Amino acid sequence: MATLSRPMAAWVAALLVALLLPLEAYAASSEGVGEAAAKRKISNLAFARLLIKAGRFRDARVFLEQARPATEEKKIERRFLLGKVYMRLGMPRKAAEQFEAIFIIRPDLTRVRLELASAQFAAGFDEKAKRHFELSLADGLPSSVENTVEGFIHAIDVRKRWSLHLSAALLPETNAVRRTGNRTVQIGGATFRLNEDAREAPGVGTQLAGGAAFSPRIADDVRGHFALSTAAKLYEKSQWNDISLIGEVGLTRLFDGGALSGGLRAGRRWTGSEGFQSSAGPWASFDRRTSRRIRIRLRTHLDYRKHDERDDLDGWRVSLNPSIRYVLDSRTVLEAGPIFEAIEARKEHRSSRLFGLSGGVSRAFRNGIFVSLSASLQMQRYRATDPLFGMKREDTAARLSIKVVNRSLRFAGFAPYAGYSYEKNRSNISLYEYENHGLLMGLSRDF
């Protein structure tokens, strides 16, 4: 059976449209267009297909915007075609909205993910676009498509400018202060009873977090790095409040598949209503995508911490956090890595070494549900004998958390999420043992 060439097919489609739809009578009225479709018992969606083939995207937009298909399959097709039309009309933000609405309920559709990423790229939402492009590589794309995706990723890295995220949540906890549940403690062979202020206490906090990053172009493969992040837990009892602010400045060197960054960072922390700690020092990070599925990261920082009222805690801290991310498929991501930290303090029994492991898995499900699960185990050993308890402190902390995001619901662009966390610290000094359960209910948004 003979097939028509693209120019011929477009000409035939245009002829059919001209025969079916006398635009002289209806071009000025979308209602007239709808009446024409109804009279001929041809759906708006069918007319839109013909108009798109004919290259008449503005007319196709009229049909698609008023189409009300009955089946889920046709609703998806309407959104997909509308997204394509918006892209051809130079409206990438509106296109991204249509593709994202499909992707939320059908995250398994790789074609939709690629269209969404392209629209986000055109709209300037680089972080979102890059994430979708990278995840799509795990779906075994044809080599020509894969090369195109790689080109998009490189273009995003080259032009990257700024990113912003915000979140707010309610956090009910069984032990908001992370203190021991024991009623007594042994000191020098004698038993002492703890007062209520030294023991566990439940609380409901408001958790706020936000961050912004700006990356101006310095040279072809060199970018500046300016970042500011903050996190706060606020309680009715203000003495439980914990607020931190961290700023970074530095340079980033881009290369194929990754980046090397470094610079200086400074931080400030407040507990209760008073200043608690200041810190400053160098940092460095390495990020490299080694294959379609694997990305490795390494971040380290060295900072000197000075405490407002506890100079026995003053000293250097160095941390090293390598990790590997494996994309099982475009909807499932695994990540794991060790944790190293060394803390020096003026009082040697305050100095410690920490080693741990962390891991997590995240998966996107249909109907906008995104689930992430993370766990960690850390062992911290102090260098000298505690003068009060007569032994070297040894802690083992375990943490587990699960978070569920519903991307199909949006409030001013913010997606709701809920979660649960559990943490337990075991110590050879009972004063430092604690257990805590927490719930999380909030909203978040990336810009």
Side-chain angles (χ1 to χ4, degrees):
M1 183 177 179
T3 58
L4 296 176
S5 65
R6 284 193 175 182
M8 181 63 72
W11 184 86
V12 171
L15 179 61
L16 287 172
V17 171
L19 292 173
L20 292 171
L21 178 61
L23 289 178
E24 296 82 4
Y26 298 102
S29 170
S30 61
E31 292 182 359
V33 171
E35 290 173 6
K39 288 178 180 178
R40 291 166 176 79
K41 296 183 178 179
I42 297 177
S43 70
N44 290 326
L45 195 59
F47 266 93
R49 293 193 203 101
L50 293 172
L51 288 165
I52 290 172
K53 288 182 180 178
R56 297 171 64 166
F57 300 106
R58 295 188 182 278
D59 295 325
R61 175 187 173 184
V62 174
F63 279 92
L64 290 170
E65 287 182 343
Q66 68 184 15
R68 296 295 181 267
T71 66
E72 189 67 30
E73 181 181 354
K74 295 298 183 183
K75 290 178 181 178
I76 289 177
E77 182 185 6
R78 171 188 172 271
R79 285 192 178 278
F80 185 82
L81 294 177
L82 193 53
K84 297 288 285 184
V85 166
Y86 283 145
M87 284 294 287
R88 294 299 297 264
L89 295 177
M91 306 165 70
R93 291 196 177 209
K94 293 181 72 67
E97 290 174 1
Q98 298 301 320
F99 293 131
E100 187 170 24
I102 303 172
F103 180 75
I104 282 172
I105 61 174
R106 291 294 305 275
D108 55 311
L109 299 178
T110 302
R111 171 70 184 280
V112 174
R113 183 191 287 273
L114 290 173
E115 296 289 354
L116 171 59
S118 299
Q120 289 173 334
F121 173 83
F125 301 135
D126 286 352
E127 291 296 324
K128 295 180 178 180
K130 184 177 180 180
R131 181 170 64 249
H132 285 303
F133 278 131
E134 289 188 342
L135 290 175
S136 71
L137 293 172
D139 284 340
L141 304 175
S143 58
S144 59
V145 178
E146 183 178 322
N147 290 336
T148 301
V149 168
E150 293 283 4
F152 272 113
I153 293 173
H154 177 71
I156 290 171
D157 287 337
V158 168
R159 79 174 189 181
K160 183 177 178 182
R161 290 294 183 269
W162 67 271
S163 62
L164 174 68
H165 73 270
L166 297 170
S167 68
L170 285 179
L171 183 61
E173 295 178 292
T174 60
N175 185 6
V177 289
R178 285 153 180 78
R179 295 174 185 156
T180 183
N182 298 322
R183 293 182 177 274
T184 61
V185 64
Q186 294 288 325
I187 301 177
T191 301
F192 293 85
R193 186 176 181 83
L194 296 173
N195 61 37
E196 292 298 321
D197 292 338
R199 298 181 60 241
E200 66 182 7
V204 178
T206 300
Q207 182 171 283
L208 305 174
F214 177 60
S215 304
R217 183 179 183 274
I218 305 299
D220 288 344
D221 294 321
V222 180
R223 299 291 179 271
H225 174 89
F226 301 92
L228 186 68
S229 63
T230 184
K233 284 185 180 181
L234 306 176
Y235 296 88
E236 184 177 355
K237 295 183 178 181
S238 60
Q239 63 268 33
W240 293 0
N241 291 349
D242 194 340
I243 304 170
S244 63
L245 180 67
I246 297 176
E248 292 182 350
V249 60
L251 294 174
T252 297
R253 175 71 164 85
L254 304 174
F255 54 86
D256 288 343
L260 178 64
S261 304
L264 297 173
R265 84 177 213 164
R268 181 66 173 155
R269 183 182 174 189
W270 297 264
T271 57
S273 57
E274 303 293 336
F276 174 70
Q277 172 190 285
S278 299
S279 62
W283 65 274
S285 69
F286 173 80
D287 188 316
R288 176 71 185 276
R289 183 162 53 85
T290 59
S291 70
R292 299 174 184 173
R293 299 180 183 271
I294 297 176
R295 175 179 287 277
I296 58 174
R297 293 189 176 98
L298 174 64
R299 183 173 178 86
T300 182
H301 66 261
L302 172 67
D303 55 4
Y304 186 83
R305 302 188 300 172
K306 183 174 179 57
H307 299 77
D308 292 39
E309 298 180 1
R310 294 288 307 276
D311 59 0
D312 60 317
L313 296 173
D314 292 353
W316 289 95
R317 179 184 63 171
V318 58
S319 69
L320 181 65
N321 302 111
S323 67
I324 182 169
R325 189 184 73 166
Y326 182 80
V327 181
L328 188 63
D329 56 54
S330 62
R331 293 193 292 159
T332 309
V333 177
L334 308 174
E335 190 161 3
I339 305 168
F340 304 97
E341 185 177 82
I343 297 175
E344 297 294 333
R346 290 188 180 182
K347 300 291 186 179
E348 194 172 9
H349 70 279
R350 300 293 187 182
S351 300
S352 66
R353 300 292 182 268
L354 181 148
F355 171 78
L357 292 171
S358 66
V361 57
S362 60
R363 181 171 176 81
F365 295 88
R366 290 193 177 192
N367 300 316
I369 302 301
F370 181 84
V371 180
S372 59
L373 176 69
S374 62
S376 67
L377 181 66
Q378 299 178 0
M379 295 172 287
Q380 189 168 12
R381 302 293 182 260
Y382 289 78
R383 296 182 61 182
T385 299
D386 189 295
L388 181 61
F389 294 96
M391 64 179 72
K392 291 183 180 180
R393 179 180 167 186
E394 296 182 357
D395 290 2
T396 301
R399 294 179 176 84
L400 176 68
S401 67
I402 184 170
K403 182 178 177 182
V404 181
V405 181
N406 190 340
R407 292 173 172 169
S408 63
L409 298 177
R410 296 294 175 94
F411 305 95
F414 287 80
Y417 63 89
Y420 164 78
S421 63
Y422 172 76
E423 52 188 322
K424 183 179 180 65
N425 189 65
R426 297 178 62 89
S427 178
N428 62 337
I429 300 177
S430 60
L431 181 64
Y432 302 112
E433 289 186 337
Y434 68 83
E435 189 172 7
N436 182 43
H437 299 264
L439 297 178
L440 193 65
M441 298 166 287
L443 300 169
S444 68
R445 182 176 181 182
D446 293 325
F447 297 85

